[in-house]
Structures are given as C-alpha cells and as structure tokens.
Amino acid sequence: MFKKILIANRGEIAVRVIRACRELGITSVAVYSDVDRASLHVRKADEAYHIGPAAAAESYLNFAKILNVARRSGADAIHPGYGFLSENANFAQACIDAGVKFIGPTAPSMEMMGSKTRARQEMEKAGIPFVPGTSRGLESAQQAEQVAAKIGYPLMLKAAAGGGGKGMRLVHTPKELKSALEAAQSEAERAFGDREVYIEKAIINPRHIEMQVLADEHGHTVYLGERECSIQRRHQKVLEESPSPIVDPDMRRRMGEVAVRVAEAARYTNAGTVEFLVDQDKNFYFLEMNTRLQVEHPVTELITGLDLVHLQIRIAAGEELPFRQEDIQMRGHAIECRIYAEDPDNNYFPSPGKITLLLSPSGPGIRQDSGMYEGWTVPIDYDPLLAKLIGYGTDRTQAISRLTRALDEYFVGGIKTNISLFRRILTDSHFQVGKIDTGYLDRLLKSKPPEVRGGHPEVAAIAAGLFAMLDSNSAVASNGTALSNHRDNSVDGTAVSSWKRAARAEALS
C-alpha cells in the first residue's frame, strides 16, 4: 500500500480523497494556488504545498510543479480527482516516467477513450452498439451533407476531443448544416486545440444513463449499476440518481455487460464510467467513456455499500478486486444535487464571495461532500461547484422526501446558490414519477414556477438565515458563535445568538 498520496486537485473532491487516505492510514498531500491558500482541502490534508497563481494553467494544470511537489514530499502516488489533469494521458505517462503511480487508467487506455472518434472506431471493432454516424472527423461540408442525407435529420455535430457541450451543435435542417459545422469546428479548436468534429444521428428526448465499472490489474472487470444523469443544463449534469427509474434488472444486466466489454476493449483498469443514450423505446447506445472518478460517484457508493475511492487506491496498489460480479447487490435509492455558487435569478451566473453563514443539513439518509466552510471566500477562478448533497432511502420516494427535507435545512449566506432549483425539481410532478429526459430541465425552467404559499418550512429557514445575516448588531465568528459589543446582546454576560433574537421577535409578533 502507498505511504503518501498527492491529490492533484482542489475543492470537495480533494477533501473526499483526503478522507479516504486517512481511513487507509495514508499520508495525504494537498497542492494549492494563491487563491486556495485557505481552502478546506488545504486545512484537511496532512501536508500542503503552494504551486502558483490562481490561473489553472500555472498551478493545477502544470505538470512540472505538481511532479516537483511529489518529489519534494516523497509521495509515491498521485490521485487526480476529476477535471484538471484527471483525463490527461500525457500527465498519466509523466507520472509513470517520474516513478509515481497514477491512480487511474493507463495512458494508452486514456488516449483511446479520450477521443470520441477513436473510441467509436474501437467500439465498432468490438461490436458495441453506438449512435449511427461517422467514426472519423468530417473532412468537408460536402461530406457532412452526404452523411446527413444518409442518416437523416435532426443530427448532432460533436467535437472529437469534446466535453461539457463545447463544439456541439444540434442541426434540424440541411440549410443549417454548413454554418453549424463551421461554428462547431471553431469552438472545438478554441476549447480543445483540435478542430476535429464528427456527426451522429440526434436521438430525440433521450435519457442519459451511465454505468460505473471497476477493473483491477489482474484481468477482473465488474459493473456497479447505472446512474440516471438526464437532468442537465447546457449539457452539464445537475442532479443524478441511482438506480434509474426506467432500468429494470434485465436492462441493467445488458447495459452492464456492454460496459464491461467497452472497458475490456480499451484494456481499462481502475474506476471508469461508460455513458449511454437511451431512446424512448429503451434502446441504448454507447456514447463515450469517462476515464476517471465521476462527480456523481456517491450515489453508486450508497446503493452498493462500496467505497470507490478506497477501491481506486487499492487497485492502483496492485490488489485484486475483493469481489466478483455476482457478489454486487444494489439496495435502496440515492439522489445527488450539485450545489453551485451561482445565481438562479441572473441566468445562473457564477456568484463568488465570502460565505458569511453556513447551515448544513444532516439527519437520516443524508450525506454531504463539501469543500466549503463558514468564513471561506469562494474564488471566481474555478468551477463553482461547492458541495454535493445526497439523499438515500429504501426507495425513490423516501430518497426524495429526505433530500427535500435536507434542502429546507440548507442555507449558504453571503453568496447565491442554486439550492432553490433543487427544491423546484424535487417537487415537480414529472420528476416525482421519473418522467425525465435530457430536455426536462430546459422545459421546467421555461415554465412558470409554482407560487410559494404560507407555512412552507423552507421560507422560515430562509427568513431565519436572513435575520442572522442582516442583524447589524452582531457578526458571526468562524465557529458559528454570534459576537457583539452591544450591551443589549446579553443578559448576564452570555452572548445571545441572532437566532434566539429572531425567534423572540417572531414570537412577540
């Protein structure tokens, strides 16, 4: 087993990996940029090293600086988390060349699955079902027109090196095709330094369902069940759940077996995710493979009882998987909300700033993976993901009710968050019966929000939070204690919290 692991990341995923290291008795090493000096992952780690300015290219994406810290700290492995360098084959190889174990797949596997066109070519050889279209980049507008005429409209243009919706265009008619191709190629080049764009048939109102796989370095590969990831905004996942409301045991087995074949075709090791599009007739098609730990991995952990980060580390250390496919059982239902620092009333624009008050939910069936704390200043320089709130229950109905209750307990003061969005989703009748697809959230946001009536506990929670924030007679210390110099704040020298004053005012009114 490794003695020391460097986490080449920040935020909640760095905290998550640090906790796994502590549980395994492994020393954790954090890296941080100028604006992350006071971040939670720096406070939690056993050791922490500065790696440069806020710009990711000069810090979290800088191979040389991270590998230099690994050498200086004596780390014998690097966990990349997700994002940043997690799917960079050159970095994975640089780690190996430096004598440091990369906790993830090999560079050749990552290269194969990192390009969507190369992945489609390999899956075609392996007989994996994928969406009709090209397996190579388009060479001209004329070629695009020929392919489009063959597969029919609507169709999708996608960047071969893409992700997050960049270099992607939905085309409904032939007259849109040429300009859409030029726009997709231009955006792909700006985002990824690669103009390659391919074409595939657009599946109308699909569901986005992914399958978690694990593979050790001894030839054993298993699948751990699916995750429903259809609730998306601008091609970015917002809420995920497991199991999917539409997947029955037979469909799960068939999807899982295909996912294992994908992993084996790529000679894949460690944790990975095979993504599928599912049409309205429940036919599924290979979309791509994410060669890393996913943001939404906690829902799989809750329904399987497995710790994916522990298993990642053990696999990288050369251990065999301690179970086989027939040993894996799914129990209950889990739903995850991605809590972002963004303003729902201003087109979800990022909302950096100081967290002046933090009320975190807890109770039965609630898990929170967080990278924030009260008093911390959220930087503008990185992805605005603050935390993940996960609700677990014996069934989907209980998971929804627990998560709804937890959201009513959640308050983040000083900045804007998208917590209100999840309250709206969870109370929506279509979501509650599992009637969702990748266009669901856009339709929901275009519809008129329901009126808030009196007696809702979330209104009381928000009002109480505002009382605490706006009370000019007090300031909140980092440990949550209200401090004040005013004489009317205490009776016998003991500080009276803003919460108590608010409650008294409410009672008197």
Side-chain angles (χ1 to χ4, degrees):
M1 181 49 68
F2 306 114
K3 291 184 172 62
K4 186 178 289 190
I5 293 177
L6 184 151
I7 297 94
N9 217 299
R10 62 178 300 280
E12 66 86 16
I13 187 57
V15 174
R16 168 74 183 91
V17 178
I18 288 166
R19 285 175 170 150
C21 288
R22 188 148 296 153
E23 290 164 3
L24 292 171
I26 300 169
T27 301
S28 58
V29 179
V31 292
Y32 63 91
S33 67
D34 288 345
V35 294
D36 272 341
R37 187 175 295 274
S39 289
L40 188 62
H41 75 284
V42 176
R43 293 184 168 200
K44 294 286 186 184
D46 297 306
E47 300 176 22
Y49 294 77
H50 177 250
I51 53 171
E58 300 178 58
S59 52
Y60 296 107
L61 292 174
N62 190 303
F63 289 17
K65 288 181 177 178
I66 291 173
L67 289 172
N68 181 49
V69 171
R71 179 185 56 78
R72 288 164 54 202
S73 66
D76 45 0
I78 291 178
H79 195 300
Y82 53 73
F84 290 134
L85 296 171
S86 62
E87 294 183 281
N88 190 309
N90 292 330
F91 179 66
Q93 188 59 51
C95 290
I96 301 304
D97 294 343
V100 179
K101 181 70 173 185
F102 179 81
I103 300 178
T106 63
S109 293
M110 206 179 289
E111 285 179 347
M112 180 190 297
M113 305 311 289
S115 165
K116 291 187 171 77
T117 50
R118 194 177 306 122
R120 284 170 69 93
Q121 292 165 27
E122 294 298 325
M123 295 309 104
E124 191 173 19
K125 293 177 187 175
I128 303 298
F130 57 84
V131 181
T134 59
S135 296
R136 288 174 173 76
L138 295 167
E139 297 178 0
S140 65
Q142 291 75 20
Q143 183 192 9
E145 290 168 358
Q146 292 171 0
V147 176
K150 182 178 179 181
I151 67 175
Y153 291 86
L155 52 84
M156 191 73 77
L157 297 172
K158 291 185 175 181
K166 292 184 172 61
M168 183 182 292
R169 294 291 184 280
L170 178 63
V171 183
H172 293 279
T173 64
K175 65 180 181 181
E176 302 173 31
L177 182 57
K178 185 176 180 181
S179 61
L181 177 61
E182 291 172 351
Q185 289 174 328
S186 177
E187 187 174 47
E189 186 169 31
R190 290 196 307 272
F192 312 112
D194 185 347
R195 286 178 59 84
E196 186 179 7
V197 169
Y198 69 100
I199 192 171
E200 68 180 26
K201 177 72 176 174
I203 299 177
I204 304 303
N205 297 327
R207 297 179 86 115
H208 186 147
I209 298 178
E210 61 189 25
M211 186 68 66
Q212 177 73 56
V213 294
L214 276 177
D216 63 25
E217 298 176 358
H218 304 273
H220 305 121
T221 305
V222 297
Y223 63 89
L224 304 182
E226 80 284 353
R227 296 186 287 255
E228 173 75 65
C229 304
S230 298
I231 298 183
Q232 303 177 7
R233 191 177 69 85
R234 297 176 181 171
H235 305 290
Q236 292 281 8
K237 300 166 188 172
V238 173
L239 178 149
E240 303 95 347
E241 61 182 302
S242 184
S244 166
I246 68 157
V247 175
D248 57 35
D250 178 66
M251 184 177 177
R252 179 174 301 116
R253 177 188 56 78
R254 290 185 290 114
M255 290 183 77
E257 289 173 353
V258 169
V260 168
R261 284 167 56 197
V262 169
E264 290 175 344
R267 294 175 290 281
Y268 195 88
T269 57
N270 216 271
T273 300
V274 179
E275 304 202 352
F276 298 93
L277 286 182
V278 181
D279 66 20
Q280 294 176 338
D281 296 321
K282 297 176 70 171
N283 299 308
F284 58 87
Y285 305 93
F286 169 77
L287 181 63
E288 62 181 320
M289 185 174 190
N290 288 301
T291 55
R292 54 172 168 78
L293 189 70
Q294 292 281 85
V295 177
E296 57 272 22
H297 74 273
V299 295
T300 298
E301 292 186 324
L302 287 171
I303 65 162
T304 61
L306 300 173
D307 189 309
L308 294 185
V309 180
H310 279 204
L311 289 165
Q312 278 194 296
I313 293 170
R314 292 187 180 282
I315 289 170
E319 295 184 15
E320 287 191 38
L321 286 173
F323 47 77
R324 295 294 179 262
Q325 191 64 59
E326 59 272 16
D327 301 320
I328 297 165
Q329 297 184 24
M330 297 171 61
R331 295 185 179 89
H333 200 99
I335 306 173
E336 174 183 288
C337 299
R338 299 189 185 192
I339 309 300
Y340 284 101
E342 56 187 20
D343 187 357
D345 298 323
N346 186 21
N347 199 29
Y348 294 89
F349 198 76
S351 178
K354 185 176 182 178
I355 297 175
T356 56
L357 179 68
L358 179 60
L359 305 177
S360 296
S362 59
I366 296 302
R367 167 176 166 176
Q368 186 181 194
D369 285 16
S370 176
M372 61 175 166
Y373 61 88
E374 195 171 281
W376 176 56
T377 299
V378 181
I380 188 66
D381 309 88
Y382 311 110
D383 185 277
L385 179 65
L386 297 172
K388 300 178 308 200
L389 182 66
I390 309 101
Y392 175 79
T394 55
D395 55 28
R396 190 169 188 265
T397 300
Q398 187 181 57
I400 290 173
S401 65
R402 283 179 165 175
L403 193 52
T404 301
R405 182 261 302 164
L407 286 166
D408 291 342
E409 297 176 5
Y410 214 162
F411 184 83
V412 184
I415 61 171
K416 299 282 189 177
T417 71
N418 62 343
I419 291 174
S420 61
L421 172 64
F422 297 112
R423 294 193 184 104
R424 188 173 175 188
I425 292 171
L426 293 177
T427 56
D428 178 64
S429 59
H430 289 94
F431 173 79
Q432 290 183 344
V433 297
K435 190 179 179 182
I436 55 176
D437 55 59
T438 55
Y440 162 82
L441 188 54
D442 288 337
R443 295 192 299 272
L444 181 70
L445 293 176
K446 288 177 183 176
S447 65
K448 185 179 179 180
E451 293 184 8
V452 178
R453 298 180 180 178
H456 284 212
E458 60 266 30
V459 177
I462 293 171
L466 290 173
F467 267 116
M469 283 176 55
L470 300 177
D471 192 323
S472 60
N473 291 333
S474 67
V476 180
S478 61
N479 64 359
T481 304
L483 305 176
S484 176
N485 295 324
H486 295 267
R487 287 174 295 177
D488 62 352
N489 195 39
S490 63
V491 176
D492 56 357
T494 303
V496 179
S497 75
S498 297
W499 290 105
K500 290 182 179 178
R501 285 199 305 279
R504 289 168 185 166
E506 286 289 308
L508 291 172
S509 64

